[in-house]
Amino acid sequence: MHEALFQPIDLGAIRASNRILMAPLTRGRSSQPGSVPNDMMLEYYRQRAGAGLIISEATGISVEGSGWPAAPGIWSDEQVAGWQPITQAVHDAGGKIVLQLWHMGRLVHPDFLGGNPPVSASATCAPGHAHTPTGRQDYQPARELTKDEIARVVADYRKAGENAKAAGFDGVQLHGANGYLVDQFLRDATNLRTDEYGGSAENRTRFLREVLSALVDVWGADRVSVRLSPNGETQGCDDSDPATTFGAAAQVCQDLKLGFVELRQPGPEGTFGQTDVPQQDGVIRAIYSGPLVLNSDYTAESAEADVKSGRADAIAFGRPYISNPDLAERIRAGAEWAPNVNVPASWYLPGPAGYIDYPAMEQQPAAVAD
């Protein structure tokens, strides 16, 4: 059963023992102040080391880019030291883990920035509300990054990549999805620039290319990946021609020979409220020749089907990994998946409840003859 999902795969230089990946999941459990990874996070990731590859929760590359309460960072020595035992625990349990690098751009509320405005590709404002330490607050207008500041942000990504290597990760993934900074540059509804970073789809991918090139310099292309969300509006970030825009992004990935590309393609019930829009993975597949990972509210059966058919090379599971720390083992055994209890209430709350207290599946007792 599900034989395709349990074939090993090379995701660039990373040898995954199966094709069931753990998708990045923001959980908000780092120690404050300082956004430092801790022992509770170690246990969380160790429990889930049966995945072919863990993609870590989105992790801030700088204070400027971090706007989620208690999300971890990778810009300080203390944070690097906090991640080191986590990566070691995953490796000791036989797993692999890459760090997802995150700059939230205009989705950082000024409360995280000492009252200063957030930065973005252009001077725009996201719709809706930000989660802040003092509750939900309206997003505030961002200011446009200058070209000198863009170079500085690229340098921040490079330093974060160096820190991830020092922390013992197997590679890095650039968060280019879900309406955050890279996505804000990619899409024409949020990128209103008239310089070489705006206008054509190729220009709007320039920031993506520069960041990925910096990470490739640090890690080598075969240990760098990217997450994209090429379908529909996401947190106010939209595009008038996603096939062209994300085709250009796929060309960047192909040119740089990235280790793999992951696509977040939620359906109508997706986390960020996208509607049922045409899927663009075929556009990416036609241009990018490396391993393609899809993440789209999969079941074990639909995941097996898409890997077997060749639509995807591996599948990243998100929310099922919250309540099923041994998800890969459950799929192998054909066991039921535990439901997500008290979700989404426990997604982001501090403490172990709904985080590290989900048990592994019970061992079935051997049948006893009468």
Side-chain angles (χ1 to χ4, degrees):
M1 181 180 287
H2 306 124
E3 291 181 2
L5 290 176
F6 288 94
Q7 298 301 311
I9 183 173
D10 291 322
L11 298 169
I14 301 171
R15 180 71 166 176
S17 62
N18 62 63
R19 301 182 184 220
I20 298 166
L21 277 57
M22 180 175 162
L25 293 162
T26 297
R27 302 306 307 276
R29 260 66 173 202
S30 72
S31 298
Q32 301 300 315
S35 302
V36 178
N38 53 43
D39 289 345
M40 186 167 56
M41 291 172 58
L42 183 155
E43 177 62 16
Y44 171 76
Y45 283 110
R46 185 197 62 75
Q47 290 174 352
R48 290 157 178 80
L53 174 67
I54 294 172
I55 306 171
S56 83
E57 63 202 282
T59 299
I61 65 163
S62 62
V63 173
E64 173 193 79
S66 301
W68 193 277
I74 191 63
W75 64 83
S76 74
D77 291 344
E78 189 179 11
Q79 291 161 350
V80 171
W83 278 115
Q84 285 170 340
I86 296 175
T87 60
Q88 187 63 52
V90 170
H91 293 152
D92 289 347
K96 305 285 179 65
I97 183 169
V98 299
L99 184 67
Q100 190 187 64
L101 303 176
W102 197 24
H103 191 305
M104 294 175 62
R106 69 178 190 166
L107 295 173
V108 179
H109 191 274
D111 278 6
F112 292 92
L113 302 172
N116 293 315
V119 299
S120 186
S122 299
T124 63
C125 185
H129 305 281
H131 295 276
T132 78
T134 56
R136 285 160 59 100
Q137 298 193 50
D138 290 344
Y139 285 114
Q140 297 299 308
R143 65 174 182 84
E144 181 174 296
L145 285 162
T146 67
K147 285 193 281 188
D148 285 346
E149 288 176 319
I150 289 173
R152 188 259 305 154
V153 174
V154 172
D156 288 344
Y157 274 108
R158 180 188 293 272
K159 179 61 175 175
E162 293 169 349
N163 285 348
K165 181 175 281 191
F169 285 92
D170 296 293
V172 290
Q173 182 185 77
L174 174 63
H175 196 337
N178 299 354
Y180 298 115
L181 183 63
V182 174
D183 216 11
Q184 291 160 30
F185 270 89
L186 286 175
R187 303 200 198 207
D188 59 17
T190 46
N191 186 338
L192 312 177
R193 302 177 73 99
T194 57
D195 61 9
E196 61 266 41
Y197 290 93
S200 69
E202 287 71 23
N203 280 1
R204 285 182 277 115
T205 63
R206 188 181 302 273
F207 180 66
L208 171 73
R209 185 183 291 272
E210 290 181 353
V211 173
L212 286 172
S213 295
L215 296 175
V216 167
D217 283 348
V218 173
W219 277 95
D222 54 5
R223 291 187 180 272
V224 175
S225 63
V226 66
R227 169 178 260 219
L228 301 171
S229 53
N231 300 282
E233 180 271 332
T234 309
Q235 303 196 92
C237 197
D238 206 355
D239 193 82
S240 63
D241 184 3
T244 298
T245 295
F246 288 95
Q251 189 62 54
V252 171
C253 300
Q254 177 67 13
D255 291 346
L256 295 178
K257 298 180 172 58
L258 298 189
F260 68 94
V261 171
E262 184 204 8
L263 303 183
R264 170 63 176 152
Q265 302 199 117
E269 305 305 317
T271 305
F272 296 98
Q274 294 93 329
T275 57
D276 192 9
V277 295
Q279 303 292 281
Q280 303 294 338
D281 58 276
V283 172
I284 308 293
R285 193 65 143 170
I287 298 170
Y288 172 70
S289 60
L292 186 67
V293 179
L294 297 184
N295 166 243
S296 183
D297 304 319
Y298 275 95
T299 64
E301 289 69 30
S302 62
E304 172 76 9
D306 275 2
V307 170
K308 184 176 286 188
S309 73
R311 182 185 179 197
D313 297 293
I315 303 298
F317 292 86
R319 281 170 287 175
Y321 257 115
I322 294 176
S323 55
N324 295 273
D326 55 348
L327 182 66
E329 292 83 350
R330 287 175 188 258
I331 292 174
R332 187 189 292 274
E336 291 186 3
W337 296 5
N340 282 320
V341 180
N342 297 323
V343 171
S346 64
W347 280 357
Y348 312 124
L349 295 178
Y355 187 58
I356 57 172
D357 58 350
Y358 289 103
M361 63 178 175
E362 295 181 0
Q363 295 297 318
Q364 296 299 317
V368 178
D370 292 334

